Amino acid sequence: MKPNISICMPNYNFAQYVAEAVESVLKQSYTDFEFIIIDNCSTDNSADIIRQYAEKDARIRFCINDRNIGMVNNLNLCLQRADGNYIKYLLSDDLLASPRALEKMVAVLEADKEIALVATARNMINDRSDIRQVLSEYRGNDRYVGTDIIQDCLLEQKNKIGEPSVVMFRKKDAMRGFDGRYRQAVDLEMWFYLLEQGNFAYIDEPLCSFRSHPNQQTRTNIAQGVLSDEAFQLLEDYANKPYVNLSRIKREYMLYVPAYSVWKQYKKKQITLHNAFLKIKRHYNFFKFIMFYPVFKIVKFFKSTMQPRKR
């Protein structure tokens, strides 16, 4: 019988966290789900740990890739193998923070067919699962126009929606899969793709936990400058869409932010001045960058962003 939710867990070398992640799924009050776990050729004992759970619970569909296909391809493989109406990713170093997480998220999607994506507040936890802070970008349990959320994230140059582990969406809307051109912003680009198809719902309750630890891919991507490169790519893909309706100064600010992030890399001695110059010049007029700098600092200080429209 077809499950209502497909929980998708790609894993690579997270043996120290994966048992806790799996347990957080098996404790859910909502039980109409399949649990797809695909290991991407881990070199630790992840497979042994996951296999023990799969032998005890028939809802777990576990497999190991023949070769390491990379993070984005493994995300997409999970999606391709999902049979549920709704997709809930849970990365194997994260957690569902409430036993009612699935119940509450699926209820939102089932109550309103125009909602394309639901996200929740999330706990930031460390490698010992201690809660360090609660992140909540949108206040209250509200509904928003999907394209307004895209514009809001573009203007702030920030993923205000959240990581893969804090969202749920309809499989039928996501058949394209995650865009392989991205590594760090691959989740945000997918959320944009979904929000072009419908509206956004937010649950202002930390139903999920996002783990910050030394081995996560995000730290490597930031160190390699992937974040700033993909910020330019995201603007190229979405900033000129007809629904991005910004004043001239706000649009200039939006385009300036990723260039300024490259400059900050130089100031922190992460890249040389020469490399910073070349990188900025590829995407932004360097003379204009110097001239706009004082305006940028003023706008940043006084900026009041467009509030997304509530539904």
Side-chain angles (χ1 to χ4, degrees), residues 6-44:
S6 293
I7 301 170
C8 298
M9 180 180 287
N11 176 72
Y12 179 68
N13 281 354
F14 281 143
Q16 67 191 104
Y17 306 124
V18 70
E20 190 178 8
V22 171
E23 291 281 359
S24 76
V25 172
L26 301 183
K27 291 175 182 176
Q28 290 297 301
S29 60
Y30 190 94
T31 58
D32 185 10
F33 64 80
E34 64 176 353
F35 192 0
I36 300 167
I37 309 176
I38 303 181
D39 185 79
N40 205 14
C41 299
S42 293
T43 57
D44 61 11

Side-chain angles (χ1 to χ4, degrees), residues 57-206:
D57 196 314
R59 293 172 299 180
I60 299 177
R61 295 166 51 194
F62 173 53
C63 69
I64 303 171
N65 291 331
D66 294 333
R67 59 184 178 82
N68 189 310
I69 60 174
M71 179 191 72
V72 178
N73 286 333
N74 209 30
L75 287 169
N76 282 331
L77 185 58
C78 287
L79 182 61
Q80 291 163 15
R81 294 187 178 176
D83 292 326
N85 298 312
Y86 305 106
I87 302 296
K88 178 73 186 83
Y89 276 94
L90 180 65
L91 302 189
S92 57
D93 53 341
D94 295 337
L95 301 172
L96 296 179
S98 165
R100 297 185 64 196
L102 296 181
E103 175 190 338
K104 291 185 176 184
M105 295 178 82
V106 77
V108 171
L109 289 169
E110 293 193 331
D112 187 344
K113 301 303 182 186
E114 293 185 1
I115 298 296
L117 183 69
V118 57
T120 82
R122 70 267 202 207
N123 298 320
M124 285 288 291
I125 60 176
N126 62 15
D127 56 357
R128 297 182 301 277
S129 300
D130 301 320
I131 298 174
R132 293 307 190 187
Q133 66 180 126
V134 177
L135 299 179
S136 186
E137 296 288 349
Y138 300 102
R139 301 300 178 188
N141 298 330
D142 284 313
R143 310 291 187 266
Y144 300 88
V145 176
T147 52
D148 277 11
I149 296 297
I150 298 175
Q151 179 171 278
D152 191 35
C153 291
L154 285 174
L155 182 60
E156 292 290 311
Q157 288 292 290
K158 182 180 182 182
N159 183 354
K160 300 180 70 174
I161 298 163
E163 300 76 23
S165 296
V166 306
V167 306
M168 184 183 286
F169 52 89
R170 305 174 198 278
K171 183 180 179 181
K172 69 178 182 62
D173 294 336
M175 298 302 291
R176 182 208 68 172
F178 291 85
D179 190 329
R181 295 175 301 157
Y182 291 87
R183 287 164 56 193
Q184 179 60 32
V186 64
D187 52 353
L188 183 57
E189 193 282 330
M190 174 61 112
W191 310 159
F192 285 3
Y193 174 74
L194 293 170
L195 290 173
E196 286 187 325
Q197 302 176 61
N199 294 316
F200 177 65
Y202 191 72
I203 302 173
D204 194 7
E205 178 184 352

Side-chain angles (χ1 to χ4, degrees), residues 184-185 218 221-232 258 261 279:
Q184 179 60 32
T218 298
N221 289 342
I222 291 173
Q224 294 176 349
V226 173
L227 200 60
S228 56
D229 288 340
E230 293 191 356
F232 288 119
S261 70
K279 201 174 211 182

